[in-house]
Amino acid sequence: MSRPQSRRITFVIASLTGGGAERVISTMANAWVARGQTITIITMTGGERKPFYPLDSEVHLVPLGRSRPSQTPLHAIRNNLNRIRDLRRAIVSSQPDVVISFLDTTNVLTLLATRRLGFPVIVAEHTDPGLKRLHPAWQQLRRVLYPRANRLIVLSESARTYFPARIQQRTVILPNPIAIDPASETIANPDRPQIVGMGRFGPEKGF
């Protein structure tokens, strides 16, 4: 018996405030909903804020309300254990065909939360990991857990080569998507190449 074409896709991200990864998730979610997929977005933040980027009303939002800062290392461990527990429950409830997680520490939490569940998990890095340094504990967890992901998505070759060979084998370079209205005049002079950059002036952005 063949599988139905429609898929249940669950995204995981810290929040849906303004940012590059948040824009990518919103773009992908809207495009896939329009193609008949069932989309769930789980965020670590609560539901007190409206998503920064427009989302189709058919996208299911699941805010966990687990983004509170930690005051001590012990408090941080307890908070992260609670995040993993709640995230696991939310993922199971969404009944996904695939889980797609965005950004380093959230990727680590997602890989821990999905252990032994059997769902394919894709994790995505959206900065150059060689320039954005994590806390040593998170750094070690990333190196240990990323090989368990079915795929790692990065934006460039330099980001891919940052990781050990066993992680590179599961890595795909996939540039960010952009949605352009075909009716809009996005290029003033189509006969002359133009370069446009947008982003935060941090070293990991490479401006």
Side-chain angles (χ1 to χ4, degrees), residues 4-74:
Q5 188 175 0
S6 179
R7 295 287 185 270
R8 302 181 68 90
I9 303 168
T10 296
F11 290 101
V12 183
I13 194 167
S15 73
L16 284 176
T17 55
E22 293 83 352
R23 180 190 65 80
V24 170
I25 277 191
S26 301
T27 300
M28 294 171 68
N30 290 337
W32 282 341
V33 158
R35 295 178 186 177
Q37 313 301 331
T38 300
I39 304 297
T40 299
I41 301 178
I42 301 171
T43 64
M44 295 297 176
T45 54
E48 65 280 357
R49 284 189 179 184
K50 183 179 178 181
F52 184 85
Y53 300 98
L55 274 181
D56 191 293
S57 60
E58 293 298 314
V59 175
H60 305 283
L61 286 180
V62 181
L64 297 182
R66 283 291 181 184
S67 60
R68 291 184 295 274
S70 304
Q71 304 302 322
T72 67
L74 184 61

Side-chain angles (χ1 to χ4, degrees), residues 185-207:
E185 297 181 6
T186 56
I187 301 178
N189 185 351
D191 299 322
R192 186 175 181 183
Q194 299 185 33
I195 299 174
V196 177
M198 181 181 293
R200 186 178 65 255
F201 283 103
E204 71 276 8
K205 298 300 181 182
F207 280 105

Side-chain angles (χ1 to χ4, degrees), residues 23-165:
R23 180 190 65 80
V24 170
I25 277 191
S26 301
T27 300
M28 294 171 68
N30 290 337
W32 282 341
V33 158
R35 295 178 186 177
Q37 313 301 331
T38 300
I39 304 297
T40 299
I41 301 178
I42 301 171
T43 64
M44 295 297 176
T45 54
E48 65 280 357
R49 284 189 179 184
K50 183 179 178 181
F52 184 85
Y53 300 98
L55 274 181
D56 191 293
S57 60
E58 293 298 314
V59 175
H60 305 283
L61 286 180
V62 181
L64 297 182
R66 283 291 181 184
S67 60
R68 291 184 295 274
S70 304
Q71 304 302 322
T72 67
L74 184 61
H75 194 201
I77 292 172
R78 185 174 64 186
N79 275 346
N80 282 314
L81 289 174
N82 288 333
R83 290 180 184 120
I84 293 167
R85 179 200 63 202
D86 290 354
L87 179 57
R88 186 180 179 90
R89 289 174 178 170
I91 290 172
V92 170
S93 179
S94 70
Q95 299 180 317
D97 292 302
V98 63
V99 178
I100 307 175
S101 175
F102 277 65
L103 303 178
D104 39 41
T105 55
T106 302
N107 293 343
V108 168
L109 294 174
T110 300
L111 288 167
L112 289 169
T114 53
R115 284 196 67 193
R116 299 178 182 173
L117 290 180
F119 303 131
V121 179
I122 298 170
V123 296
E125 288 274 345
H126 274 258
T127 59
D128 188 328
L131 293 174
K132 183 190 177 186
R133 306 300 296 178
L134 297 177
H135 184 281
W138 287 106
Q139 190 91 353
Q140 184 59 29
L141 281 169
R142 179 168 66 178
R143 287 185 176 268
V144 170
L145 292 171
Y146 270 24
R148 299 182 184 177
N150 293 81
R151 288 290 185 272
L152 165 63
I153 304 297
V154 296
L155 302 180
S156 66
E157 177 64 24
S158 63
R160 188 183 73 86
T161 56
Y162 168 83
F163 294 100

